[in-house]
Amino acid sequence: MIVLLKKDPDVRQLQNLMDWLKSMSLEIHVSKGANYTVLGLVGDTSAVDIDLIQALDIVENVKRIQEPFKSSNRKFHPEDTVIDINGIKLGGGHFQIIAGPCSVESEAQVFEVAKCVKAAGASILRGGAFKPRSSPYSFQGLRGEGIRLLLKAKAAVGMPVITEIMDISQLPLFDEVDIIQIGARNMQNFELLKALGKTSKPILLKRGLSSTIEELLMSAEYIMASGNERVILCERGIRTFETHTRNTLDLSAVPILKKLSHLPVIVDPSHATGVAALVPSMSLAATAAGADGLIIEVHNDPPHALCDGAQSLTPEGFAALVPRILKIAAIVREGARQ
Ligand code: PEP
Ligand code: MN
């Protein structure tokens, strides 16, 4: 971290600042120029409050040269993290497709979709039980019953399952769930992140609607700093001024995240676009951008879905898309080996 001081700083204030920085075990290198003095801070600056320093009278500017995230940082862990989900590997060249309905609606519905997506090549089944809806009058999910039906489908079809948690009080219901999803709206629910950091389940962390890439990584840091290193990052579109899509898919986040972090990165083209017709092209593009996997909504009867029907692929549409995705994934994997 570099602290640029204002011209002729007050000596007492400068001494206070230096004492405070030293109390955090930081080494301070002072460079005095004709007009300005620069303090170079060496050591672990992750706990230093940059805004607090910036607000001091004697400080002109502060710049972090080291990222504030450590556990997820590729600099300290150059190898890709590979997450084992009940024998299915994700990350480090292992590409997986997660698919299923937005919400579990009934036993027949989740069983049918599960069978279709498995036959088409998906390796993990998704299905929401606790649904974060913008309106309290919309379908809120089958809650505990939804998880029960999803687990029944898991046993019947033989696929690991992922479902969203909205509150830590729901955790006892997640014992047999293979991946716990933290939705976009909860990306910065820090108490939830810390609590899930104390579990050993893989966590799919979705990027918040208006969150920066660094904020996503800092949220991953919350989970990892609490002890759970099995975090999967998910780009699911961010809010912009564009109205043709539900969100704007920030595909550049994929190579940026993979450069900054060793964690697996997957893309959700369904919530990113909100339009089923856009899901195939965005799935292919996300795969080409280097994503480690995709999470795609599929419904057996999209026009009658209780949630997100407009962005759901039919089983046939999904089955036609998977081989195209896998071709691109193979090309990307081949390119990475060269
Ligand atoms: C979902 O996966 O159904 C969901 C609600 O996702 P997001 O949190 O990305 O909106
Ligand atoms: Mn959905």
Side-chain angles (χ1 to χ4, degrees):
M1 187 180 284
I2 305 271
V3 182
L4 177 67
L5 299 176
K6 282 185 184 151
K7 206 167 180 237
D8 303 322
D10 176 83
V11 181
R12 212 166 45 86
Q13 285 188 41
L14 178 56
Q15 193 55 50
N16 285 345
L17 173 61
M18 304 266 273
D19 290 345
W20 178 58
L21 293 169
K22 280 185 195 150
S23 75
M24 289 187 276
S25 310
L26 295 170
E27 233 181 81
I28 307 170
H29 295 262
V30 184
S31 317
K32 278 204 166 82
N35 292 315
Y36 290 101
T37 300
V38 172
L39 308 181
L41 311 186
V42 181
D44 183 1
T45 57
S46 50
V48 176
D49 186 342
I50 188 164
D51 296 327
L52 208 60
I53 299 180
Q54 179 73 71
L56 297 175
D57 280 345
I58 56 168
V59 171
E60 179 72 35
N61 205 351
V62 191
K63 211 167 172 49
R64 249 187 215 289
I65 47 174
Q66 212 179 20
E67 295 93 358
F69 45 94
K70 282 193 296 187
S71 310
S72 62
N73 199 320
R74 197 181 274 284
K75 276 189 194 136
F76 307 119
H77 186 303
E79 294 297 309
D80 283 341
T81 282
V82 178
I83 298 189
D84 194 303
I85 305 139
N86 251 342
I88 291 169
K89 290 193 168 78
L90 175 67
H94 302 275
F95 183 91
Q96 303 298 343
I97 302 176
I98 304 171
C102 175
S103 309
V104 175
E105 298 172 7
S106 68
E107 181 167 328
Q109 173 246 15
V110 70
F111 270 54
E112 186 181 338
V113 177
K115 273 186 240 150
C116 294
V117 297
K118 185 174 184 189
S123 49
I124 300 167
L125 175 66
R126 65 151 288 151
F130 296 98
K131 294 304 304 174
R133 304 302 300 277
S134 300
S135 165
Y137 308 116
S138 302
F139 174 60
Q140 302 288 305
L142 295 182
R143 304 176 69 85
E145 174 65 2
I147 296 201
R148 194 183 68 78
L149 296 176
L150 185 68
L151 292 174
K152 224 172 155 187
K154 164 182 167 163
V157 183
M159 283 172 103
V161 293
I162 173 169
T163 192
E164 178 169 352
I165 194 166
M166 285 175 59
D167 188 89
I168 200 60
S169 61
Q170 296 155 358
L171 190 60
L173 296 170
F174 284 67
D175 270 0
E176 287 167 58
V177 167
D178 300 279
I179 308 176
I180 302 180
Q181 175 172 321
I182 300 179
R185 291 152 191 86
N186 268 319
M187 189 202 86
Q188 287 192 318
N189 182 340
F190 300 119
E191 290 303 318
L192 183 61
L193 301 177
K194 283 191 266 183
L196 291 173
K198 296 199 178 80
T199 70
S200 57
K201 297 248 184 222
I203 308 290
L204 178 77
L205 178 64
K206 291 190 136 193
R207 181 177 179 183
L209 277 68
S210 304
S211 299
T212 64
I213 289 172
E214 185 163 304
E215 285 165 342
L216 172 62
L217 289 168
M218 291 310 290
S219 290
E221 200 68 21
Y222 264 94
I223 302 168
M224 298 175 88
S226 300
N228 186 352
E229 308 245 298
R230 304 172 81 201
V231 179
I232 304 157
L233 304 169
C234 180
E235 162 59 36
R236 47 76 73 206
I238 48 174
R239 184 158 280 185
T240 70
F241 46 80
E242 183 50 63
T243 55
H244 276 84
T245 47
R246 183 174 176 184
N247 293 290
T248 296
L249 177 54
D250 178 12
L251 270 189
S252 56
V254 176
I256 294 171
L257 283 168
K258 292 193 66 77
K259 176 168 177 263
L260 293 174
S261 175
H262 52 88
L263 296 173
V265 178
I266 72 164
V267 169
D268 176 344
S270 308
H271 292 89
T273 60
V275 182
L278 300 177
V279 169
S281 52
M282 293 303 98
S283 299
L284 300 175
T287 310
D292 295 296
L294 298 168
I295 177 163
I296 300 177
E297 286 187 344
V298 179
H299 197 281
N300 52 334
D301 183 10
H304 296 105
L306 296 181
C307 183
D308 288 349
Q311 67 193 35
S312 298
L313 296 184
T314 58
E316 299 72 33
F318 178 71
L321 175 59
V322 171
R324 301 171 67 208
I325 293 171
L326 295 181
K327 264 190 214 162
I328 305 247
I331 293 170
V332 173
R333 195 162 42 238
E334 196 49 42
R337 270 202 220 109
Q338 281 161 13

